[in-house]
Structure formats: C-alpha cells, structure tokens
Amino acid sequence: MVDETVPAPPMKPVYHPDSIILYGVKLNSDTDYATFSVGNVPNTGLRVQLFTGNQGQSAAEHSIVLAYGYAFEGHCYRFDTPRTFIVFSGFDYDAVGCGFDSPAALPAFLMPYRMWYVRSSDELLELSPNFGDAKALILDANLPGKRSPASYAINMSMAHRGGRLTHD
C-alpha cells in the first residue's frame, strides 16, 4: 500500500531544508520543445522552447513541466489546476511519494509522472496558456470575485480616541 501523504525522501548527500519537490510530467521529454493545442483549429499548436541567444536549448538542459502537486517540509500539496513551469534544469527523476508513483504496467502512450528537486530560491518561469473567446478570457475573468485580491482597493479603518472612524 502506498501512502499518498508521504513525499519522496531528500536527495543525498546534502539535505536542503528549503527544498521543494515538484511532481508532474515533462512535456518536452521526446523533443526539445513542448506543444500546446490551439483549440479547434486542426493541426495547429503552440511550440514552447527555451533559447539562449539564437541557439535552442535541448531537453536535457531544461524541463517544461505540467505540474500537479508539490511536497514541502514533509507535506504533500496539490495544485487546484495543473500549472505549467519551465524548470531551468534538465534533472528529473522517477516520481516517488505523494501518490505520484508510476504503476509498473503503464501504457506506452501515457507519460509517467516525474519529479524535480528545486530550491525555494530557484527561478522558475510559469506559463499560463488559456484558450477561449474574448468574453471568457477578458470580460468574465475581470468580474469581481474572479480577480486577484491584490487588484482591489484596500481601505483601512482606524478608530480615533474620540470614537470617530476615519478612512484612509
């Protein structure tokens, strides 16, 4: 029986207390780029590849990760939706822990789960490809309640010694 709440053990030989284990699939495992569907247009896709100058980097130098969860400080967490990151390291490992262990009899057309050890200070690039009509992507996404909390005005109320309230 596999316990889904136990993350993978730390890497040897040095323990890093700020280590994060990222769980997901490597989208550029067979090629140097990842391909995203562009909706209902047949045979159309968006390719994402990392370049240094005019030279495209190989899949061994970076990972385009569709992440489903992560482990930090001995606890497993799931993302509310899969998130896409570029990890600036090609080092990925067979997934162990947090319920992401790949079964032995996995069909060949499915990508097995992988894991990446990253430090909390490592830089990642998050991609958020969304497909939809303009109403859904622009108008509906900016309705109150769907915006990030930082986009709302913040008002502070302070009590005065005389009992009066002021708004700043």
Side-chain angles (χ1 to χ4, degrees), residues 4 19-21 29 38 53 57 60 83 100 113 116 118-119 136 140 143 151 154 156 158 166:
E4 293 185 2
S19 168
I20 299 170
I21 304 171
S29 61
V38 187
Q57 290 192 356
R83 294 173 60 184
F100 290 101
Y113 288 116
W116 292 260
V118 295
R119 306 277 303 271
D140 293 346
L143 289 174
S151 67
I154 297 174
M156 181 188 296
M158 297 183 65
T166 58

Side-chain angles (χ1 to χ4, degrees), residues 71-93:
F72 182 66
E73 292 185 344
H75 298 282
C76 298
Y77 303 94
R78 305 286 175 152
F79 292 120
D80 53 347
T81 60
R83 294 173 60 184
T84 308
F85 297 103
I86 295 181
V87 178
F88 299 104
S89 166
F91 299 116
D92 57 307
Y93 306 91

